Amino acid sequence: ETGVTQTPRHLVMGMTNKKSLKCEQHLGHNAMYWYKQSAKKPLELMFVYNFKEQTENNSVPSRFSPECPNSSHLFLHLHTLQPEDSALYLCASSPWTSGGAGNEQFFGPGTRLTVL
Amino acid sequence: QKEVEQDPGPLSVPEGAIVSLNCTYSNSAFQYFMWYRQYSRKGPELLMYTYSSGNKEDGRFTAQVDKSSKYISLFIRDSQPSDSATYLCAMSGSAGGTSYGKLTFGQGTILTVHP
């Protein structure tokens, strides 16, 4: 595997279900991100992890719970979601060094989530 | 007012045309400017990356940043059908600043290049 991978690619869940999204990066990066992409809206940053520590929570509802066990893996745990949470969830990774490299973010293919 | 404004299009051009994509922004702290390309059912792919004002060229692609006008552009020369995608501008602040590494995206412009 190369780059950033995400599983599953598609997920349909009911509002009472609990599910998890998984992201793995094979680039040797130290920072990982979760974004939400909804139709006709810009990508929204949700969470940032730097060296496994959460450094940003962009006012995300608690029904989304991230986990970063190491610099290569990132999870997004989902529970009691709402239909408006249906979107493409994208994971990204980047180096975290000075000089701007932290902005060079590489994205996975995303998980298309549908909440019924 | 949105922090980053990008015309969503759609934009349709014939093969071989020069394409101009633009974004305006309001946050003067933005120092890093990126263009991503996103094909259908794929994640965004980093296309161009620039720091501060100026031009950067990579093959058929040229990125321009005018910080005085808070305006960035991406030009595609000799456009090809394979360039058909959504183009996203993104920006962030200086290293050590509160917005460093936190990309703010435009809405994306849908581009179709027809043969």
Side-chain angles (χ1 to χ4, degrees):
Chain A
E1 294 279 13
T2 59
V4 181
T5 58
Q6 290 187 244
T7 55
R9 295 293 309 276
H10 300 272
L11 179 62
V12 179
M13 58 187 290
M15 290 192 286
T16 58
N17 292 156
K18 290 184 180 182
K19 296 286 185 183
S20 295
L21 310 184
K22 179 183 176 182
C23 175
E24 184 173 0
Q25 60 96 1
H26 308 268
L27 301 168
H29 290 162
N30 296 310
M32 297 188 77
Y33 311 78
W34 280 116
Y35 285 87
K36 176 183 179 183
Q37 188 174 36
S38 305
K40 295 187 168 65
K41 293 178 69 175
L43 265 79
E44 302 171 61
L45 179 65
M46 300 175 71
F47 301 103
V48 180
Y49 278 83
N50 183 30
F51 290 93
K52 302 187 299 178
E53 298 297 320
Q54 188 180 122
T55 57
E56 180 75 12
N57 176 338
N58 198 20
S59 302
V60 180
S62 59
R63 58 186 184 270
F64 296 90
S65 175
E67 178 189 2
C68 188
N70 54 62
S71 293
S72 298
H73 294 86
L74 185 65
F75 295 89
L76 188 63
H77 304 299
L78 316 171
H79 62 98
T80 59
L81 293 191
Q82 305 298 312
E84 60 263 29
D85 297 322
S86 299
L88 182 68
Y89 288 85
L90 291 158
C91 172
S93 71
S94 74
W96 196 272
T97 63
S98 60
N103 294 310
E104 295 186 66
Q105 297 182 15
F106 295 82
F107 284 81
T111 295
R112 175 69 62 186
L113 174 67
T114 303
V115 182
L116 301 177
Chain B
Q1 182 188 7
K2 294 178 185 175
E3 258 191 312
V4 179
E5 298 272 4
Q6 183 177 7
D7 186 342
L11 184 61
S12 181
V13 300
E15 183 175 355
I18 296 175
V19 175
S20 173
L21 304 167
N22 312 293
C23 288
T24 59
Y25 63 94
S26 57
N27 188 343
S28 58
F30 288 145
Q31 298 280 347
Y32 295 90
F33 304 91
M34 283 70 68
W35 285 96
Y36 283 84
R37 177 175 61 195
Q38 186 174 20
Y39 291 115
S40 180
R41 298 188 184 87
K42 301 279 189 180
E45 169 195 10
L46 183 61
L47 201 57
M48 298 288 281
Y49 177 89
T50 53
Y51 172 69
S52 195
S53 285
N55 294 356
K56 183 175 183 178
E57 188 173 322
D58 184 1
R60 296 184 294 110
F61 298 89
T62 300
Q64 288 186 351
V65 175
D66 182 349
K67 289 186 65 183
S68 62
S69 303
K70 296 190 177 67
Y71 187 88
I72 70 171
S73 300
L74 178 70
F75 296 96
I76 307 174
R77 291 184 300 280
D78 187 25
S79 56
Q80 303 295 310
S82 59
D83 295 327
S84 299
T86 298
Y87 290 80
L88 308 163
C89 64
M91 21 197 110
S92 77
S94 57
T98 57
S99 64
Y100 177 68
K102 303 174 198 173
L103 301 187
T104 301
F105 281 84
Q107 188 175 339
T109 300
I110 300 170
L111 172 67
T112 301
V113 181
H114 51 87

